[in-house]
Amino acid sequence: MTAKLHAAVIGGGAAGMATALELARQGARVTVLEADALGSGSSGRSVGVVGTQMTDPFQLLMRRYGQARFREWEGQGFRFNHIGYLRLARTPAQMRALEESQRMQEEAGFRARVLTPEEMVQLIPHLSVEGLAGGIFGPDDGFLDPYELCTFLGARLREQGGEIRQFCKVTGVARRSGGYRLETTKGGLDCDVVVNAAGAWAPKVAAMFGQELHIFPERHEAMAILLDQPLDYTMPMVMDLIDGQGTGLNFRHEKPNELISEIHKVSTGTFADPDDYNDQCMDASREYLAELLLERLPDLPGARLGRGWAGLYPITADHKPFAGPVDPSEPGLITAGGGGGYGIQLSPVIGIAAADWALHGAVVSAPGLEALRPSPDRNRPVSAAANHEEQH
């Protein structure tokens, strides 16, 4: 049946391309409809970090499935920069949580090591450990180029016989017997299943089908930190946030003489229209980031702020992605997105679950991911997400 099923995926970001490839792998005919170019939305503005240093069992379960895909793609030639990931802890309670995380990661097949402040300085000589109790380090974690990810998945999709229509915006939808008719700027398309993977635009796409989808586009900023001279070591990804506690500052090496930094708070309360938002970094944000960097990297030689930009985190009320049908009575209309600040690293997971729902009406290949279905208790208004910070 799946060999004849035609799935249209709306959105060519990481979640959409991962879903499209999973559909094609299982024998479906796939057409991706992207209003701009692949990776041109939130995916292309991500800093691309992929890490496993989490304290919540479900978060680790998702990463177990996701990391398996990344390893597979890396074996096919995709570039993954294994620079490591260090999460900082400030209190004894956080250290206990990290020790438990290390145990859970080992059970999941990941490598992780709890570090003392002295060991963290050995790892990162320029790091100030004032106010820190320790941290946890995953040497296999790192970062990827999100645009490269989208184009890599696109190439694999074409190898599987899939089609990608870039600069092709969906302008109208209609239900027909056994499927859907999509009108686009490049003509009409008949399909059996639709996957809404439009990222920050997903609620607008859902509205075209008469659905109410509670994904909130939150504006976040990132900046480059330029160095006069290259460091003589690689700066791993560093995150100062555990269970909502910490500044949210994170930074990592991008090039020998450049770091990338941002402040990761999943809920800032600043929601934006994806068609009309400021995609540049504001002066106040640059000043605040500079203060935090000066506190944590006080002796970084010749460091200065470089280019800055803003992107959108498509978040959900409970800060877990959506993958599945919003309405059980319409199993052919699937949502795939809402990964928020973890959208890139969770894109394979979203893809696995969304493709299963589209082809089988349930999650069959990754037990536990059925929890990502956007059921009514999860698909709820923004008030449920207000003042909530990053967890785990």
Side-chain angles (χ1 to χ4, degrees):
M1 181 182 70
T2 57
K4 298 180 181 180
L5 184 143
H6 183 195
V9 178
I10 302 175
M17 296 311 298
T19 302
L21 185 56
E22 290 292 338
L23 288 163
R25 285 164 60 120
Q26 295 194 48
R29 176 187 167 201
V30 182
T31 302
V32 174
L33 305 174
E34 166 53 49
D36 203 302
L38 295 186
S40 60
S42 298
S43 292
R45 292 179 172 271
S46 167
V47 299
V49 171
V50 179
T52 59
Q53 311 313 306
M54 316 300 287
T55 62
D56 176 73
F58 183 68
Q59 294 288 341
L60 281 170
L61 174 68
M62 288 194 291
R63 282 155 180 82
R64 182 162 61 83
Y65 290 126
Q67 293 293 80
R69 282 290 185 267
F70 283 124
R71 286 194 295 269
E72 175 187 330
W73 297 337
E74 192 175 8
Q76 296 170 355
F78 179 67
R79 184 167 60 99
F80 190 106
N81 303 283
H82 295 277
I83 64 172
Y85 186 115
L86 175 66
R87 191 178 284 270
L88 308 179
R90 294 171 175 268
T91 67
Q94 288 183 342
M95 287 299 292
R96 289 192 292 272
L98 294 187
E99 289 167 359
E100 177 64 11
S101 173
Q102 179 183 3
R103 184 193 65 78
M104 290 190 296
Q105 288 187 68
E106 289 174 350
E107 289 182 352
F110 300 138
R111 290 198 299 164
R113 184 162 55 101
V114 173
L115 303 181
T116 66
E118 294 74 22
E119 290 171 325
M120 293 195 299
V121 173
Q122 292 175 7
L123 180 68
I124 306 175
H126 290 97
L127 183 72
S128 169
V129 294
E130 183 177 354
L132 299 179
I136 189 170
F137 180 66
D140 300 322
D141 295 342
F143 73 96
L144 53 83
D145 184 310
Y147 176 74
E148 286 184 11
L149 175 64
C150 294
T151 55
F152 171 84
L153 296 178
R156 300 289 81 73
L157 176 64
R158 290 187 178 100
E159 291 173 357
Q160 296 277 346
E163 180 185 0
I164 301 171
R165 300 184 186 180
Q166 300 184 79
F167 304 99
C168 181
K169 184 176 182 179
V170 176
T171 58
V173 304
R175 292 169 174 86
R176 62 176 180 82
S177 177
Y180 301 89
R181 171 76 176 180
L182 305 181
E183 298 299 334
T184 81
T185 51
K186 292 189 175 181
L189 178 74
D190 291 322
C191 59
D192 306 301
V193 172
V194 172
V195 177
N196 178 4
W201 290 265
K204 295 186 177 186
V205 171
M208 297 174 71
F209 290 92
Q211 289 187 343
E212 189 173 17
L213 183 63
H214 294 293
I215 291 178
F216 318 110
E218 239 183 17
R219 183 180 177 278
H220 288 257
E221 298 165 321
M223 273 165 281
I225 312 301
L226 306 180
L227 307 176
D228 284 344
Q229 294 182 343
L231 300 178
D232 58 3
Y233 63 95
T234 298
M235 182 83 72
M237 173 69 190
V238 179
M239 171 67 82
D240 183 9
L241 195 66
I242 297 177
D243 298 341
Q245 300 177 31
T247 63
L249 174 69
N250 65 85
F251 49 87
R252 65 163 173 80
H253 238 126
E254 171 71 6
K255 302 173 183 177
N257 60 343
E258 181 179 321
L259 307 181
I260 294 291
S261 183
E262 65 170 347
I263 299 172
H264 183 101
K265 293 278 190 177
V266 164
S267 218
T268 65
T270 305
F271 302 114
D273 180 348
D275 292 313
D276 183 22
Y277 77 99
N278 179 8
D279 64 358
Q280 300 301 307
C281 204
M282 295 186 292
D283 289 343
S285 301
R286 294 172 69 90
E287 293 173 5
Y288 181 50
L289 184 65
E291 291 175 3
L292 293 180
L293 285 167
L294 188 61
E295 175 187 23
R296 197 51 64 200
L297 297 170
D299 300 317
L300 199 61
R304 62 193 186 281
L305 297 181
R307 71 192 189 284
W309 67 94
L312 300 176
Y313 286 4
I315 68 166
T316 65
D318 64 2
H319 298 283
K320 296 181 180 67
F322 285 165
V326 171
D327 184 351
S329 68
E330 190 168 12
L333 181 54
I334 305 297
T335 295
Y342 292 121
I344 295 296
Q345 60 183 281
L346 293 181
S347 58
V349 178
I350 295 170
I352 292 169
D356 273 5
W357 279 107
L359 297 178
H360 308 289
V363 173
V364 297
S365 58
L369 296 189
E370 60 275 2
L372 298 181
R373 185 176 72 85
S375 54
D377 63 318
R378 297 194 59 226
N379 184 25
R380 57 188 194 268
V382 64
S383 58
N387 300 318
H388 186 88
E389 295 180 345
E390 189 262 2
Q391 295 298 305
H392 313 303

